[in-house]
Amino acid sequence: MTLTHPTLARQLAPTPSLLRDVLLVVGGAAFVALLAQAEVPLKPVPLTLQTLGVLLVGAALGWKRALAALAVYVAAGAAGLPVLAGGSAGLMNAAGTGLRASIGYLFSYPLAAALVGFLVERYALDRKFLGTCLAMLAGSVVIYAVGLPVLGALTGLKGGALLTAGLTPFIIGDTIKLLLAALLLPTAWKIIRK
């Protein structure tokens, strides 16, 4: 299967080089870290702009560089750098008694970004509003498909209680982030084409 459509990054920096790729990966990780600092402290999982960054990095960098960027981001947080939501770090909860409830969501980020990047490279979904919505929705599904079961395993929540803790508080915010991305990406392509 050929990935035939350029990403925004490839369109802006078409000459391949290791330096370009390293800068894009580190820049993507830093972008997500920056957006993670905008936080509404819900329990057990905070509401942040982090997922908007994950999905935008996926679309802008393509699947390989997005996977690498989000792996760097998660590794930086695991290593103790204050890049996670609200400037937190580490994979343990605040009390240090177990894994943080959001760990499943964190581990989903490289997969979600890679999926969005793949869809953009394969089908050019980031060029139009509806296509961008579909790519972002697919990435969001991956985040919840990984994050919710891990949240349930760590907290003991099941069924409706799990959905109330790990999904329903985020639906409106995620919809707004999805629509924002669906406006930003096609607009960026229009600007580049001019």
Side-chain angles (χ1 to χ4, degrees):
M1 186 179 312
T2 305
L3 302 178
T4 58
H5 301 283
T7 61
L8 282 169
R10 200 167 91 200
Q11 191 73 17
L12 292 171
T15 306
S17 76
L18 179 61
L19 178 60
R20 176 199 69 175
D21 289 343
V22 168
L23 290 174
L24 288 171
V25 166
V26 171
F31 179 68
V32 175
L34 180 66
L35 291 183
Q37 305 319 305
E39 176 188 34
V40 176
L42 298 176
K43 298 290 180 190
V45 178
L47 174 64
T48 70
L49 292 179
Q50 198 171 24
T51 54
L52 175 63
V54 169
L55 301 174
L56 287 174
V57 165
L61 299 186
W63 82 267
K64 289 178 185 176
R65 286 187 296 268
L67 179 69
L70 273 297
V72 166
Y73 170 72
V74 172
L81 295 176
V83 297
L84 303 178
S88 64
L91 300 181
M92 302 299 283
N93 62 26
T97 57
L99 293 174
R100 64 173 56 227
S102 61
I103 194 167
Y105 298 96
L106 289 171
F107 286 149
S108 75
Y109 292 165
L111 302 173
L115 175 61
V116 171
F118 173 82
L119 293 172
V120 163
E121 288 180 288
R122 180 74 173 116
Y123 303 106
L125 291 182
D126 61 336
R127 278 33 170 216
K128 303 275 186 204
F129 179 83
L130 183 57
T132 304
C133 285
L134 291 173
M136 300 297 137
L137 181 60
S140 296
V141 167
V142 169
I143 291 169
Y144 286 110
V146 176
L148 279 171
V150 175
L151 176 63
L154 292 174
T155 62
L157 296 173
K158 295 179 182 167
L162 177 59
L163 295 178
T164 299
L167 175 65
T168 54
F170 306 103
I171 291 175
I172 292 173
D174 284 349
T175 301
I176 292 169
K177 289 183 266 186
L178 183 145
L179 293 173
L180 181 59
L183 291 171
L184 288 173
L185 290 167
T187 301
W189 276 107
K190 285 178 186 171
I191 291 169
I192 288 173
R193 287 186 186 121
K194 290 181 181 178

